[in-house]
Amino acid sequence: MAYPETRRVDQTDIYHGRTVPDPYRWLEEDVRESAEVAAWAKAQNEVTRKYLDAIPQRQAIHDRLTELWNYERQSVPWQVAGQYFYFKNDGLQDQPVLLTANSYDEEGRVLIDPNKWSEDGTVALGRTVVSEDGQRMAYTRKEAGSDWSTVRFIEIDSGKVLEDKLEWVRHGNLVWNAACDGLYYTRYPEPPEGEKFQALSLNPMIYFHKLGTPQSEDTLIFRRPDEPNWSFWLRRTEDNRYLVLTIHRSTDPQSRVYLREVGAAADAPWNKLIDNFDHEYSLIGNRDATLYFYTDRDAPRKRVIAIDANAEDSSSFTEVIPEREQGGTLEYVALFGDELICNYLSDVTTRLFRYDLEGEELGAIELPGLGNASGFGGRQDDTETFYSFTSYTMPTAIYRYDVTSGKNELIRSSKVDFDPKLYESKQVFATSKDGTQVPIIVSYKKGPSGAARKLDHNNPTLLYGYGGFNISLTPSFAVTNAAWMDMGGIYAVANLRGGGEYGEAWHAGGKSVNKQNVFDDFIAAAEHLISTGYTKPEKLAIMGGSNGGLLVGAAMTQRPELFGACLPAVGVMDMLRFQNFTAGHFWRHEYGTADDPEEFAALIAYSPYHNLKPDTHYPATLVTTADTDDRVVPMHSFKFAAELQHDQAGDAPVLIRIESKAGHGAGTPVSKRIDLVADKWAFLWKSLKMAE
C-alpha cells in the first residue's frame, strides 16, 4: 500500500519524569480550521476509496443492505393529554419522521419531517418534549451530527413553528412548566470563535425560558461556576410540587440530588438531599413528599428506596425493594399508579417484575422470549404503557401493556426480510485472565435444514464489544448484522467489565486503573471463540465504536497476531490528551488522567496511539471517524491511523475512512449508514478471505 505522506514533528511531553513523543500533534487541528489537516484527510480518503471500490463484492453487499434496510419501522409510542406520538421510517428515509395520532393503533399525521430540513439528510431531529396540555412540543435540531443543538417549538394542532429559538444547548434537558408557557433547559456559554467543535464543554447552566421572549431575557435557575466540570439534569415532579436536580461530576452514575418547591424564587436555596458523589440515585417519581429512587447505595446491583423530601439529608430512608439475590441487576424502574415496574438484567437479558409501593412482589411480566425489553414511559397516572422487545435474531416488536389488567398486546411488528427460524443465538462464557466469567452471545445463520453450525475453526467471525461507562450491551436486532450473517459470518458480542451488566462492581472492575481488565476480557472472548472451534485468528475480526474503538485499538496493539481484521470506530486513541477536547473532561473518572502518577502509568500502558510499535505486523485495519465529530474529536483516529501506517511492517492494509458532515453516530442519515457498513463488510470480506 502506498499511503499519503504524513508529516512527523519533534513534539515531546514530560509526564512524571517520563518523556513521551507525540509526532502527529498537528493532526489535532480542526479540519474546518486547518488547510493542512483537511488536505491530509482528503488524501487518506482517496486511498481508502480506491481500495474499497476495487473490492468486487462491495456493490452486492451494498445492494443487500439497501434491500434489508428498506422496511417500515416505528418507535415505541408515547401518550400526552390523549394524543399519541411516534417516530416512523418508511424504509430508506434518511431521518425518521415524527407523527401524532388520536390512538396508538391508528395511522398518524406528520408533525415534523426532518428530511425536509436539508438535501443531504444531515440535519436531524433530536429530543422531543410535549407540554402537559398537549398543545406544544419543544424539540432539538442537530446539524451534521454535532452534539450542539438548537431548541425550537411547534404548535401541535396547527404545525406552526414558533419564533422562539434557544442556542448553545448540547444534550437536551428540556422540562416544561405546569402552565405550559415556558421551559427549563440546560445551556453552555458560547465558545470562543473558531473553537465551537473542539473547546471543552464547561460551566453548564439551567435557565427558564418564557415563550415569546428572547433568550437573552431567560432567568438563571442554577449554575456552579466553582465546579465547571459538573453537569445537571432537571426534573419536575408530576404533581408540580418539586424541582429535582441531579448533579454528576462525570459520566459516572454517582450523583448528588438537590430539590426545592416549584413556586420558590429563582434564587431560592436548594435542599441538598444528597450532597456527595458516593452512590447513584435515579429518581423514579413521588407520592406527595415521598420520593422514590433506585440506587446502588449498599446494593451494587441496585434497589428501590424512598426518601422524605423534607429530610435534612439522605441518612433516613426506607428500603422499598431490596437488591434481588436472584434475577439480576436493576436497570430502571417505572411508576404507574401504585405499581412499580422493575426492569432487571439477568445474564444480559431482560426480566420484568411488578411491585406495589410497599415492596410486595405482584408477579412477573411475561416476555416473548430471551431478549431485551425497553420503554415503559408515561405519566404516573397512566393506565397503559408501551415497550419494545428484540434480540439479535428477532426483529423489534412493539407491545402495549395494560397496567390495570396486566395484559400484553402486540401492536406493531417489523416487516423486515428476515426469518428468525433460520438463525440461532446462544450464550457462552469465556474465562478471563483473572478467572472472571465473561458472557458472549454468539449469533449465526443455521446450516442447511437447520443443521448446527460446524465448529471447524473456519467461520468468519466478528467480535463486538464496548466495556465502559456503566453501559450494558443488551440483545438487539440490526439489519447490518443480518447482512453479515447472510454473508456466512458469525456475530459475537462480549459483555465486558466496565459495563453495567452485573452492577456497579462490574463497572468499577473495568474503569480507571482497572481498565486493563476490559482488554483482558475481550482477548479472552476472542481466545474462547478460537479454542472452541468457531474460528481462527485469520478469520476473526473485532469491532467497536467510541469507548469500543479504544477497546479495539488496545486489543490489536497488545495482541496483533490474534486478529485477522480490526474495525475501530470513532475511538478514544490518545489516552494522555483526551480530557483537553469537548466532552473529554467528563471521562476523567472513567479513565483517569495523565495528571495523576498512578493513573498515568495505567493509561500509558494501554493507550492505543502510544503503544503502536515500529516494524510490527498489524492486522488489516479500517479506522472510521467523522470530520465533524465533536464528542470524540477525530484527532484520535487521525493520529492513530498515521502512526499505524508508519509502523506497519506487514502487507495488511491500514486505512482510514473519514465521513463528512457526520458526528459521533446519532442522527447519521440512512444513506450514509448503508455506505459505511457496505465499506466495512466489504473490507472484512477481503481481509478474512471469506470466498475461501
Side-chain angles (χ1 to χ4, degrees):
M1 293 289 296
Y3 302 112
E5 182 177 348
T6 306
R7 179 169 61 90
R8 292 173 69 87
V9 298
D10 186 21
Q11 169 69 45
T12 59
D13 300 291
I14 299 176
Y15 297 89
H16 311 290
R18 177 172 172 176
T19 301
V20 179
D22 187 1
Y24 298 111
R25 177 70 61 84
W26 65 276
L27 283 172
E28 292 181 355
E29 296 295 321
D30 192 329
V31 295
R32 288 154 291 200
E33 303 293 332
S34 168
E36 185 181 17
V37 175
W40 179 87
K42 181 175 183 291
Q44 290 285 350
N45 266 342
E46 288 173 352
V47 170
T48 299
R49 195 72 266 146
K50 181 179 179 180
Y51 181 90
L52 295 173
D53 288 344
I55 300 174
Q57 293 80 12
R58 185 194 178 279
Q59 187 58 51
I61 293 170
H62 187 280
D63 292 345
R64 177 56 177 156
L65 282 166
T66 303
E67 181 182 286
L68 279 170
W69 225 301
N70 192 14
Y71 73 100
E72 181 183 298
R73 49 199 177 274
Q74 298 184 17
S75 72
V76 173
W78 71 98
Q79 179 265 134
V80 180
Q83 296 183 86
Y84 293 79
F85 302 85
Y86 65 97
F87 287 95
K88 176 184 175 183
N89 192 308
D90 290 337
L92 297 177
Q93 290 175 294
D94 276 327
Q95 301 291 343
V97 177
L98 178 63
L99 295 93
T100 183
N102 295 319
S103 173
Y104 67 85
D105 57 358
E106 75 172 31
E107 184 73 18
R109 63 177 175 86
V110 174
L111 181 60
I112 298 177
D113 183 358
N115 296 289
K116 297 180 179 179
W117 290 347
S118 64
E119 292 185 2
D120 58 4
T122 58
V123 183
L125 175 61
R127 183 169 170 79
T128 60
V129 183
V130 180
S131 59
E132 289 180 14
D133 59 9
Q135 294 185 13
R136 301 182 183 93
M137 173 184 285
Y139 64 92
T140 59
R141 177 172 163 144
K142 304 168 72 70
E143 299 190 15
S146 173
D147 277 349
W148 289 112
S149 58
T150 302
V151 181
R152 301 301 306 269
F153 300 84
I154 188 171
E155 293 180 349
I156 292 172
D157 286 343
S158 68
K160 178 185 176 182
V161 177
L162 305 183
E163 293 184 2
D164 299 66
K165 182 187 297 186
L166 307 179
E167 302 281 9
W168 308 115
V169 173
R170 285 188 70 85
H171 301 294
N173 180 203
L174 312 176
V175 180
W176 284 97
N177 65 348
C180 304
D181 61 358
L183 189 83
Y184 300 95
Y185 70 101
T186 303
R187 63 157 290 177
Y188 286 82
E190 183 175 349
E193 186 174 353
E195 298 181 23
K196 177 179 179 181
F197 300 105
Q198 287 198 316
L200 286 170
S201 302
L202 301 172
N203 292 301
M205 302 164 284
I206 295 179
Y207 278 87
F208 177 76
H209 173 74
K210 181 81 169 179
L211 288 180
T213 64
Q215 186 176 11
S216 59
E217 296 181 6
D218 290 352
T219 303
L220 178 66
I221 302 299
F222 188 85
R223 68 174 179 174
R224 283 294 298 267
D226 58 321
E227 298 288 353
N229 291 300
W230 285 7
S231 61
F232 314 125
W233 192 265
L234 186 72
R235 283 182 61 179
R236 179 175 59 83
T237 58
E238 292 180 11
D239 59 3
N240 197 38
R241 188 166 182 171
Y242 302 108
L243 291 176
V244 183
L245 180 65
T246 303
I247 302 173
H248 292 89
R249 59 181 173 176
S250 66
T251 53
D252 271 358
Q254 290 77 29
S255 56
R256 301 185 181 209
V257 179
Y258 296 175
L259 75 156
R260 72 181 185 197
E261 294 185 355
V262 167
D267 58 352
W270 293 76
N271 176 16
K272 298 178 180 180
L273 195 64
I274 295 141
D275 201 25
N276 57 62
F277 291 113
D278 293 343
H279 304 287
E280 173 186 358
Y281 294 89
S282 295
L283 179 66
I284 301 167
N286 75 303
R287 282 287 181 266
D288 299 322
T290 301
L291 301 172
Y292 295 93
F293 296 87
Y294 60 93
T295 178
D296 62 4
R297 179 172 177 171
D298 303 322
R301 295 192 310 279
K302 302 178 191 175
R303 59 176 172 165
V304 176
I305 64 172
I307 301 177
D308 188 332
N310 298 312
E312 294 184 0
D313 57 53
S314 63
S315 59
S316 58
F317 65 88
T318 302
E319 180 178 84
V320 179
I321 303 173
E323 181 181 36
R324 288 183 73 93
E325 293 183 6
Q326 302 292 329
T329 303
L330 184 59
E331 284 281 283
Y332 62 85
V333 184
L335 171 60
F336 295 101
D338 294 321
E339 182 173 313
L340 295 164
I341 297 177
C342 297
N343 184 307
Y344 291 87
L345 271 189
S346 179
D347 283 337
V348 196
T349 59
T350 298
R351 304 290 189 276
L352 298 173
F353 296 96
R354 300 162 49 232
Y355 295 85
D356 65 22
L357 293 182
E358 302 303 317
E360 185 73 22
E361 185 176 329
L362 303 176
I365 297 176
E366 297 299 323
L367 294 172
L370 291 177
N372 175 44
S374 61
F376 299 97
R379 292 179 56 83
Q380 293 173 191
D381 56 0
D382 286 348
T383 58
E384 65 177 358
T385 185
F386 302 88
Y387 69 93
S388 65
F389 183 81
T390 183
S391 75
Y392 293 119
T393 58
M394 185 179 296
T396 302
I398 309 297
Y399 290 82
R400 176 181 180 270
Y401 177 70
D402 189 303
V403 177
T404 305
S405 67
K407 291 183 178 179
N408 273 315
E409 176 188 1
L410 175 65
I411 61 171
R412 289 168 190 153
S413 57
S414 301
K415 301 297 191 293
V416 62
D417 181 18
F418 181 89
D419 184 356
K421 295 190 296 295
L422 302 179
Y423 301 79
E424 182 177 0
S425 271
K426 59 190 297 187
Q427 189 174 59
V428 298
F429 288 82
T431 302
S432 193
K433 186 176 182 179
D434 63 358
T436 299
Q437 294 298 293
V438 179
I440 313 166
I441 296 182
V442 184
S443 305
Y444 48 83
K445 194 170 186 178
K446 298 176 183 177
S449 302
R453 196 66 179 260
K454 290 183 179 180
L455 300 184
D456 58 1
H457 296 278
N458 204 42
N459 297 297
T461 300
L462 178 58
L463 175 62
Y464 178 84
Y466 188 80
F469 294 92
N470 200 41
I471 293 173
S472 302
L473 292 186
T474 53
S476 63
F477 179 80
V479 293
T480 55
N481 299 333
W484 170 252
M485 291 187 287
D486 282 351
M487 291 165 55
I490 289 177
Y491 182 66
V493 177
N495 295 96
L496 315 170
R497 278 176 285 185
E501 290 88 346
Y502 294 100
E504 180 55 25
W506 188 257
H507 171 219
K511 61 177 286 193
S512 189
V513 295
N514 296 322
K515 190 67 177 177
Q516 182 59 41
N517 287 334
V518 182
F519 314 134
D520 291 342
D521 290 355
F522 198 53
I523 289 168
E527 292 176 332
H528 180 85
L529 293 172
I530 293 168
S531 66
T532 52
Y534 284 100
T535 191
K536 55 188 175 184
E538 54 265 42
K539 290 285 188 181
L540 176 61
I542 52 174
M543 180 174 73
S546 193
N547 176 74
L550 159 63
L551 170 69
V552 172
M556 65 179 285
T557 53
Q558 293 181 18
R559 293 291 301 278
E561 82 290 349
L562 195 58
F563 313 110
C566 300
L567 299 175
V570 291
V572 188
M573 300 302 199
D574 184 340
M575 300 309 298
L576 303 186
R577 290 178 56 78
F578 70 86
Q579 71 275 9
N580 298 332
F581 300 88
T582 60
H585 66 98
F586 288 120
W587 316 332
R588 294 169 296 116
H589 289 91
E590 182 72 19
Y591 295 137
T593 71
D595 296 334
D596 180 275
E598 183 183 10
E599 292 171 349
F600 165 75
L603 290 166
I604 193 66
Y606 72 77
S607 178
Y609 172 56
H610 299 96
N611 280 279
L612 291 163
K613 298 177 177 59
D615 300 320
T616 301
H617 287 250
Y618 287 105
T621 303
L622 177 61
V623 180
T624 54
T625 187
D627 60 5
T628 54
D629 187 347
D630 55 5
R631 188 175 306 176
V632 178
V633 291
M635 74 88 176
H636 286 279
S637 294
F638 289 1
K639 293 166 69 173
F640 180 75
E643 185 65 41
L644 184 57
Q645 288 177 349
H646 177 268
D647 294 343
Q648 175 67 300
D651 296 329
V654 173
L655 305 172
I656 180 169
R657 183 190 189 278
I658 306 163
E659 186 64 81
S660 62
K661 296 180 70 176
H664 201 57
T668 301
V670 165
S671 55
K672 285 181 179 286
R673 292 165 66 190
I674 291 175
D675 286 342
L676 173 60
V677 178
D679 285 343
K680 288 183 175 182
W681 286 187
F683 184 80
L684 293 185
W685 180 278
K686 182 169 183 177
S687 300
L688 302 184
K689 298 180 173 59
M690 293 178 66
E692 298 178 8

